[in-house]
Structure formats: C-alpha cells, structure tokens
Amino acid sequence: LHLTAMTDLNALLAAGTRENVVSELTGLADKTVSSQSGLTGMALKSAVAAGKKANPNAVSDGVDQALPQLVAELQPYFSRYESGNAANFGAFLSSRSAEVVEKILAAADGATDQMPAPARTAYSSLRGKAGDIITPALPEFGQIIERHL
C-alpha cells in the first residue's frame, strides 16, 4: 500500500510565498471588481474606492488578513482534489461553487473587523450578492492557490 502525502495549504502562509499569493489574489480581486457592471458593479466599485481612500492597501491588507482562514477553509477541498481527477484546483472549486463561495465568504467575514468602516459597511450590504461576483473567478482563484504550492 502506497500512501501519498497530502499537500498542506499552510505552505501558502510561509514568508516569501504569502506575499506572492496575496499579490496575485489582490490582482484577481481588483480585476473581478473592475469587471462588474450594473448597480452591483457601481456599488462594489464605490465600496472598494472608499476602502482604498481610507487605506490605499485595503484590498491587499484584507486578502492578507483573510488568508489564514481561507487556507483552513480550503484544505479539505484541496485534499479531496488531490485524491480525485479534476484537471486543476480551479476546475475542482468551480464544480462545487456554492459551497466553496460560502467558505470564502466565511474567511472574508472573519477579516471584516480589520476593514476601514466605509469598506465594512459596503461589504455587509453587498455580501448577499457576493456569490454571483466570486463564482466566475473561482477557476483563476484555484489556479493561483495551486501555482504557489
């Protein structure tokens, strides 16, 4: 019987790696926000702008703050992915988008205390629509995670 070691996502929190992961996830967040349209897009863009006005690094600080919880939430998924046959982690996450989005939001919820007040208010008002915003970004999100392991 040959057992393969499961990848520990805590490796994403290591010095040197964490900064790169935060940078790429911040880029994905910025790209995702800028691609939104309609009333939700306007509200999201103004929320991010308010957060950046209070703290120019608001998005990356938020990603960095949420990363340990995100790693904890994603570990069971990555373990299942490694023992399955999905093409990549992004595809694996996309195939479970509803539950994965809830885990991502749980991690974000834990980081809201650190957000500037305007961003926190905007986050809470947009949280219900977050699934529609996050789901299309899951393939790239998963690929970023996998690339840094």
Side-chain angles (χ1 to χ4, degrees), residues 62-139:
V63 170
D64 189 57
Q65 182 76 28
L67 193 58
Q69 178 71 26
L70 198 53
V71 163
E73 299 284 359
L74 291 175
Q75 183 66 60
Y77 292 97
F78 201 83
S79 297
R80 290 203 322 251
Y81 157 67
E82 284 188 310
S83 61
N85 58 6
N88 59 59
F89 191 45
F92 181 87
L93 293 177
S94 291
S95 70
R96 293 153 181 81
S97 61
E99 62 184 275
V100 171
V101 164
E102 280 307 310
K103 299 295 184 185
I104 292 170
L105 289 173
D109 291 346
T112 56
D113 293 346
Q114 308 302 317
M115 291 180 186
R120 193 170 45 244
T121 301
Y123 172 81
S124 60
S125 69
L126 291 168
R127 192 191 184 285
K129 295 175 174 51
D132 296 336
I133 297 166
I134 295 170
T135 299
L138 283 176

Side-chain angles (χ1 to χ4, degrees), residues 9 19 34 109:
L9 293 189
E19 295 79 2
S34 68
D109 291 346

Side-chain angles (χ1 to χ4, degrees), residues 10-87:
N10 282 308
L12 298 172
L13 303 176
T17 301
R18 182 175 183 149
E19 295 79 2
N20 292 330
V21 172
V22 168
S23 175
E24 283 197 53
L25 290 178
T26 299
L28 176 59
D30 286 338
K31 182 170 79 173
T32 301
V33 168
S34 68
S35 72
Q36 299 304 305
S37 59
L39 293 174
T40 300
M42 287 172 30
L44 186 58
K45 290 171 188 172
S46 66
V48 170
K52 286 182 174 181
K53 187 173 182 183
N55 171 5
N57 299 317
V59 176
S60 61
D61 287 354
V63 170
D64 189 57
Q65 182 76 28
L67 193 58
Q69 178 71 26
L70 198 53
V71 163
E73 299 284 359
L74 291 175
Q75 183 66 60
Y77 292 97
F78 201 83
S79 297
R80 290 203 322 251
Y81 157 67
E82 284 188 310
S83 61
N85 58 6

